[in-house]
Structures are given as C-alpha cells and as structure tokens.
Amino acid sequence: MDLIVLGAAAGGGLPQWNCAGGQSANVWHNRLPAQTQASVAVGSPETGYVVINASPDLRQQILQTPQLHPRDQHPMGVRNTPIRAVILTNADVDNVAGLLNLREKQSFDIYGPTKVLEVINENSIFAVLDPEFVKQYPLETTEMIRPIPGVEFELFTVAGKAPLYLEDSLGFESGDLGFTSGIEIRTETSKTLVISSCAQIDQKLQERIETADHLLFDGTVFEDDEMTQLGLGEKTGRRMGHLPISGGDGPIAQLSHCKLKTKRFFHINNSNPIWDEQSLAHRTIRDAGWDICHDGLVFEI
Amino acid sequence: MDLIVLGAAAGGGLPQWNCAGGQSANVWHNRLPAQTQASVAVGSPETGYVVINASPDLRQQILQTPQLHPRDQHPMGVRNTPIRAVILTNADVDNVAGLLNLREKQSFDIYGPTKVLEVINENSIFAVLDPEFVKQYPLETTEMIRPIPGVEFELFTVAGKAPLYLEDSLGFESGDLGFTSGIEIRTETSKTLVISSCAQIDQKLQERIETADHLLFDGTVFEDDEMTQLGLGEKTGRRMGHLPISGGDGPIAQLSHCKLKTKRFFHINNSNPIWDEQSLAHRTIRDAGWDICHDGLVFEI
C-alpha cells in the first residue's frame, strides 16, 4: 500500500499565478521545480486509490501520476479509473474545486463531513457530478471507513477556521466549526497522519501523533509574518489558520519527542523558504529530523 | 497583437482523466502530446492580455505561457499579472471553473452575458474572487468592449444549448438560451472569430465568417456518432450542441467559399481523429484548407 503525494504546495501552488516574489520567483526563473496544490492518493494497483482532497490541479496531477491513469483492457471498457473514492477534509476551494475535473459519468464515492458536502450541494456547478454515478457519504469525525481493502481512514477534528469564502457569513472568530480535519490512515502495519491545516497542536493531537509512524503536517509558513515580510499579502499564518513551523508552539518544538519514522511538511506555501534547499529554514527543518514533500513523492505505508 | 491558444482541447482535455480509448490512448502511450481545455488569450506585452474563457486548466496554462507570467520589477509590487480581463462566452464548467484559479486579491475584470454572470454569482464558491478586486461587467451580444487598447471584442449569439448541469432545470430542448456565444476580435488590421460551440451554421453566422480573416471553429467531433463508435459515451455531437466537422451542414462543407486567411479547428474532443496527423480525418481537413489548434499556438492578429 502506497501513499503518493499528488501535490505538495499550499493553495495557489508553486509558483502562484500572480506572484513574482517569494519562492514563486525561483520557479519562474527555473531554479526550483513547480509544485501543484496539496493532495495525496493512497492505494495500490490491486485495490485502486483513494484521493484525499481534490485540488484545483487534479487533472494535471492525474496526468503526471501513472498509478492514476485509466487502464487498457479494462472489464468496464475504455472509460475507467483506478480512483475509487475522494475524501474531503474541508470545504476550501483548494480541496474541493478539483471535483469538477472528475465529471464524465464515472462512478466513484465522495466522503466528507456533512458541512463540506452541504457546500458542494449548495453550489450548482458541482451538479456535473451525476449522482447516478457519484455517491456522497457523510463522514463524521471518529467514524472509520474502508473505501478500498487493506486500509482504514478516520477523520479527526483539528483546530482551524472556516473557508475564506464563507468567512463573511460565518464570522472569522468562530473557532473550529468542523470545517478543518486531519485524516488518519491505518494499514495492517502502519499509521499515517495527513494534516494540511492546523492552527494549534493541543494535547489530544499530540497524543495522536505520538502513536503514528508517518506524518504529513501543515507546512504553510515557516515564520508567522513571512508573507508580509515578502510583500505577498497582509495575512499572517495564524490569521489563515496555520501554525508557523518555527514558532515555540509550532510542529518542530511541539513534536520533537514523537518517535515518527518519517515526518514531512506538506501544504507548503509559495512564501515558505523551506522549498529552497539552500536556505537556513530548510537546514533548520532537516536538522530537526523533518523533510519536505514534493509532487510525485511515494512511500509505503 | 497576438492570439495565443492556451488550450485546444474540448471539455475533459486530451487525454481525458478516465478514458483509455480514442485519442486519449495515443497520449497515455506517448504517441501524441497532451492538450489542455479550450481557452485563448489575446494581447501583447505592452497592453496586457484578455483571456477568453477560464478553463479548469487555467493555472497550468498560465504556467506554460510565458506571456502570462507575472513580471519582476513591476510598479504594483511582486503580486501582479498581465491578465487584464476574462471574457466568458458561456457558463459551462469548462469555461468558468478556471476562475477559481484567479483568486488571491488580484484586480482584473470579468465580462460575460448576464445569464453567465448569474450562474457564477449563484455559486458561493466563486466568492473567492473578492469583488473589491474583481469587477464583473455584463456583456450582451452586439455590445463592443475594449478591455485593452488596440483591440475590440464583441459577443454574438450562436445556436447552442444550455450547460449540462442546468439541462435538468431548463430542459434540453430549450434551444438557444443565450448561453452559447462566439466572439469577434477586431484589431486595426484584422478580424478573428472564436467559436468553440456551434450547433448550426445559419445564414447570419455564414455572413459574419465571410468577412473574417482568422477563424477558430468548434472542432469537437469529426463524425456525429464517433463517441458511441469508440465506446466513449452515448451522446452524439449534435446532442452536445456541436456540429460534426464532416457533416453536409458542417464547417468544411458550409464554409468552403469563405476567403479566410487561416481557419483552424479548436475545442477538439479526445474522440476526434483529427488530433492524429496520420488519420484520414486529419488529411481530409488539411485538404479542405483547415488546420488544428494546439496548446501554445501563437499568431498575429
């Protein structure tokens, strides 16, 4: 059973379409490879694959991932896919827009919190996913599902915030509204956590991470104010619901005692210096035993 | 002033994510290059660019088109784009989903028929386009706009059909509902028509094409029933609102008398044999003076 990183970058991707600064500049000038927006797939050729979050880059991600290509000589005919299910951990555009790429009367299942499914069903544009073929299943936290054999998925609540486009109607200071979740992936031999947004590492989350083998953790920003420092925007990482990597309450400091086999940053913003292997920030995370994800990274779980 | 083909393929792109047949097979097996979904940009480095239709592949299209990259040393700072406006010719997912890639508090204008703007505004997910930065302007047919200097754009009604995801509520047999438009692009020296959907070449359309220099025309299917022949789906070209290229009422037969400088098929489906230069269909269109578009094609208008 493999975990494939389909996209390692945070919303906007690397480079961001309208940004000549930060790490995007390194990509425009061919000093760093481009990276698509955060998504992972879990599965094997025998079982098919589960995609966790449908990024706006999903069509490109499928094309660059041979494991997700349709098969020749398939019993279902020429129209087929190894993608069995999509699990949505929240309703951000970054995580749901890619569903629009999965049209064309193809059967697969969507799992996600009721609030996330509601957002999809309230937007008529998602009606391209014909309910005759695409079934939706509410997935509440602590509930366990097995969309493919040999692996279990469980959503869990993470401190976060409402999606940007619902902030006005819900109010920003509304705290955790069930919009932000991490996902625990269990096989017979390992436990993997994928947490792309995290505003706080509380006791409960720490305990969950202590018993995991592999961790993909919110690597949006290295420093809380790096976006303003670089002239990329007015918001801090915390304002966007993301703990800065380097903070005293951040993942390096708070998770140093965890005996993970692998720990990697994921959902890395185009402002984040850890993309650049020559940077002090990159050296800092490597010295602390962390690595970064990149598009196409595959590891066994 | 240039026209850049950002994407030449019809909805789904080439290859289609869930299709191992038709021309998609040629791409999966590296016999043909991949193509993104239909979109063009018009402009110059001095004036900036207007994008016609925002395909789901827009982020990838911007990345592979140097003319659309943000600039270093820009007076607006590191966050900038040469994209000044997006014109939407209809409300199909293929034409509007890419707007979700243009978030991040960047100023640009959206022009489109009132009915198309209504669809966008009824879908809360498009609220990521902050109205403080992104202005919407209704663009009715016969109205002329100049979003950048030196070029005029005019929408015109084309026989077509409602977007797939609104078919149920509107009824398929509703005829032309103002959802399908072509676009006429006039510079000081030339007139170009971009028509990605066309269900019928009537007298009025024929007259418009007779006075044009360059034509990008609906090349969705070569034969009306090619999708069923290939096992790719149940719909004919006509059922999807597209005239088959080879039909007696199709573009080759109906436009043979037009003295265009260039005529190219555009919005070409992954079922269409004209993608393959070795095919009889490709030879047929070349013998009739037509060519095909491909991603990255640029010509002066």
Side-chain angles (χ1 to χ4, degrees):
Chain A
M1 187 71 54
D2 283 330
L3 184 148
I4 307 168
V5 175
L6 301 181
L14 179 72
Q16 184 174 305
W17 76 285
N18 66 335
C19 183
Q23 297 303 313
S24 296
N26 279 333
V27 183
W28 299 123
H29 292 288
N30 300 311
R31 293 188 294 257
L32 275 183
Q35 305 284 337
T36 60
Q37 294 165 89
S39 176
V40 307
V42 171
S44 70
E46 294 71 35
T47 57
Y49 292 85
V50 175
V51 172
I52 301 175
N53 288 323
S55 100
D57 298 319
L58 186 52
R59 181 173 175 266
Q60 184 186 347
Q61 291 168 336
I62 293 172
L63 266 60
Q64 68 194 21
T65 309
Q67 295 93 324
L68 302 186
H69 294 180
R71 303 288 183 256
D72 294 333
Q73 317 291 341
H74 192 282
M76 300 292 285
V78 291
R79 287 275 178 107
N80 70 80
T81 176
I83 298 175
R84 299 278 163 273
V86 178
I87 300 176
L88 305 171
T89 63
N90 77 31
D92 269 329
V93 167
D94 309 343
N95 292 347
V96 302
L99 289 175
L100 298 173
N101 291 299
L102 303 184
R103 57 202 194 282
E104 309 296 353
K105 299 197 180 299
Q106 182 69 50
S107 292
F108 69 95
D109 298 325
I110 298 177
Y111 296 88
T114 308
K115 283 181 179 121
V116 177
L117 298 181
E118 274 169 13
V119 170
I120 288 167
N121 296 321
E122 282 163 7
N123 278 267
S124 67
I125 194 166
F126 288 106
V128 290
L129 300 171
D130 186 337
E132 198 190 315
F133 296 90
V134 181
K135 306 290 178 201
Q136 296 184 7
Y137 300 96
L139 174 60
E140 303 311 334
T141 47
T142 76
E143 202 181 329
M144 191 266 293
I145 54 163
R146 280 197 192 90
I148 54 173
V151 56
E152 296 172 353
F153 298 83
E154 181 193 324
L155 279 194
F156 56 91
T157 303
V158 178
K161 71 167 200 59
L164 190 59
Y165 61 100
L166 295 177
E167 269 189 11
D168 283 350
S169 53
L170 296 169
F172 168 61
E173 296 297 352
S174 44
D176 185 342
L177 283 151
F179 277 109
T180 303
S181 310
I183 191 154
E184 180 166 315
I185 305 161
R186 291 187 295 265
T187 65
E188 265 194 22
T189 52
S190 75
K191 184 169 126 178
T192 303
L193 301 175
V194 179
I195 302 167
S196 50
S197 283
C198 181
Q200 196 201 336
I201 301 173
D202 56 21
Q203 182 66 23
K204 221 169 140 188
L205 180 59
Q206 217 165 43
E207 285 168 11
R208 192 183 285 269
I209 294 172
E210 279 164 8
T211 62
D213 298 290
H214 305 287
L215 173 65
L216 269 60
F217 192 84
D218 181 350
T220 311
V221 294
F222 186 76
E223 289 186 84
D224 193 36
D225 64 347
E226 71 190 26
M227 288 187 59
T228 46
Q229 278 184 45
L230 293 163
L232 303 186
E234 288 160 21
K235 286 186 185 171
T236 61
R238 292 180 196 277
R239 171 65 183 82
M240 300 186 294
H242 301 287
L243 265 180
I245 290 174
S246 63
D249 57 349
I252 290 183
Q254 293 296 307
L255 303 175
S256 59
H257 64 292
C258 297
K259 296 188 190 347
L260 291 149
K261 286 179 193 154
T262 67
K263 46 186 178 179
R264 293 183 174 96
F265 290 111
F266 173 66
H267 191 275
I268 306 168
N269 196 38
N270 44 65
S271 58
N272 193 328
I274 64 170
W275 282 122
D276 178 1
E277 291 186 10
Q278 309 303 318
S279 68
L280 181 61
H282 189 90
R283 225 176 314 146
T284 305
I285 65 143
R286 293 301 294 267
D287 288 348
W290 288 76
D291 206 340
I292 62 172
C293 287
H294 57 82
D295 287 19
L297 175 80
V298 183
F299 63 91
E300 206 182 325
I301 59 170
Chain B
M1 188 71 55
D2 283 330
L3 184 147
I4 307 168
V5 175
L6 301 181
L14 179 73
Q16 184 174 304
W17 74 285
N18 66 335
C19 183
Q23 298 302 313
S24 296
N26 279 332
V27 184
W28 298 124
H29 292 287
N30 300 311
R31 293 187 295 256
L32 275 182
Q35 304 284 336
T36 60
Q37 294 164 90
S39 177
V40 307
V42 171
S44 70
E46 294 71 35
T47 59
Y49 293 85
V50 175
V51 171
I52 302 175
N53 289 324
S55 101
D57 299 319
L58 187 52
R59 179 172 177 267
Q60 184 187 349
Q61 291 168 335
I62 293 172
L63 265 60
Q64 66 194 24
T65 308
Q67 295 92 327
L68 302 186
H69 293 179
R71 303 285 183 256
D72 294 331
Q73 317 290 337
H74 193 281
M76 300 291 285
V78 291
R79 286 276 179 108
N80 69 81
T81 176
I83 298 175
R84 299 277 163 274
V86 177
I87 300 177
L88 304 171
T89 63
N90 77 31
D92 269 330
V93 168
D94 309 343
N95 292 345
V96 303
L99 290 175
L100 299 173
N101 292 298
L102 302 184
R103 57 201 193 282
E104 310 294 354
K105 299 197 179 299
Q106 181 68 52
S107 291
F108 69 96
D109 298 326
I110 298 176
Y111 297 89
T114 309
K115 284 183 178 115
V116 176
L117 299 181
E118 276 170 13
V119 170
I120 289 168
N121 295 321
E122 283 162 8
N123 277 268
S124 66
I125 194 166
F126 289 105
V128 290
L129 301 171
D130 186 338
E132 197 190 317
F133 296 90
V134 181
K135 306 290 179 200
Q136 296 184 7
Y137 300 96
L139 174 61
E140 303 310 335
T141 48
T142 76
E143 202 180 330
M144 192 265 292
I145 54 164
R146 279 197 194 90
I148 55 174
V151 57
E152 297 173 353
F153 298 82
E154 181 193 324
L155 278 194
F156 56 91
T157 302
V158 178
K161 69 165 202 60
L164 189 59
Y165 62 99
L166 295 176
E167 270 190 8
D168 283 350
S169 52
L170 296 167
F172 168 60
E173 296 297 350
S174 44
D176 186 340
L177 284 150
F179 276 109
T180 303
S181 311
I183 192 152
E184 180 166 314
I185 306 162
R186 292 186 295 265
T187 66
E188 264 193 23
T189 53
S190 76
K191 183 169 127 178
T192 304
L193 302 175
V194 179
I195 303 168
S196 50
S197 283
C198 181
Q200 195 198 336
I201 300 172
D202 57 20
Q203 182 66 22
K204 221 169 140 187
L205 180 59
Q206 216 163 45
E207 285 167 11
R208 191 183 285 268
I209 294 173
E210 278 164 8
T211 62
D213 298 289
H214 306 287
L215 174 63
L216 268 60
F217 193 83
D218 181 350
T220 310
V221 293
F222 187 75
E223 289 186 84
D224 194 35
D225 63 348
E226 72 191 28
M227 287 187 60
T228 46
Q229 279 183 45
L230 293 164
L232 303 186
E234 288 160 22
K235 285 185 185 170
T236 62
R238 292 181 196 277
R239 172 63 182 83
M240 299 186 295
H242 301 287
L243 264 181
I245 290 174
S246 64
D249 58 348
I252 290 184
Q254 292 296 306
L255 304 174
S256 58
H257 65 290
C258 297
K259 297 189 189 345
L260 292 148
K261 286 180 192 154
T262 67
K263 46 185 176 180
R264 293 184 174 96
F265 290 109
F266 173 65
H267 192 273
I268 306 167
N269 197 36
N270 45 65
S271 58
N272 194 327
I274 64 172
W275 282 122
D276 178 2
E277 290 187 13
Q278 308 304 316
S279 68
L280 182 61
H282 190 89
R283 225 175 313 145
T284 305
I285 66 142
R286 293 300 294 266
D287 288 347
W290 288 76
D291 206 340
I292 62 172
C293 287
H294 57 81
D295 286 20
L297 175 81
V298 183
F299 61 93
E300 204 182 328
I301 59 171

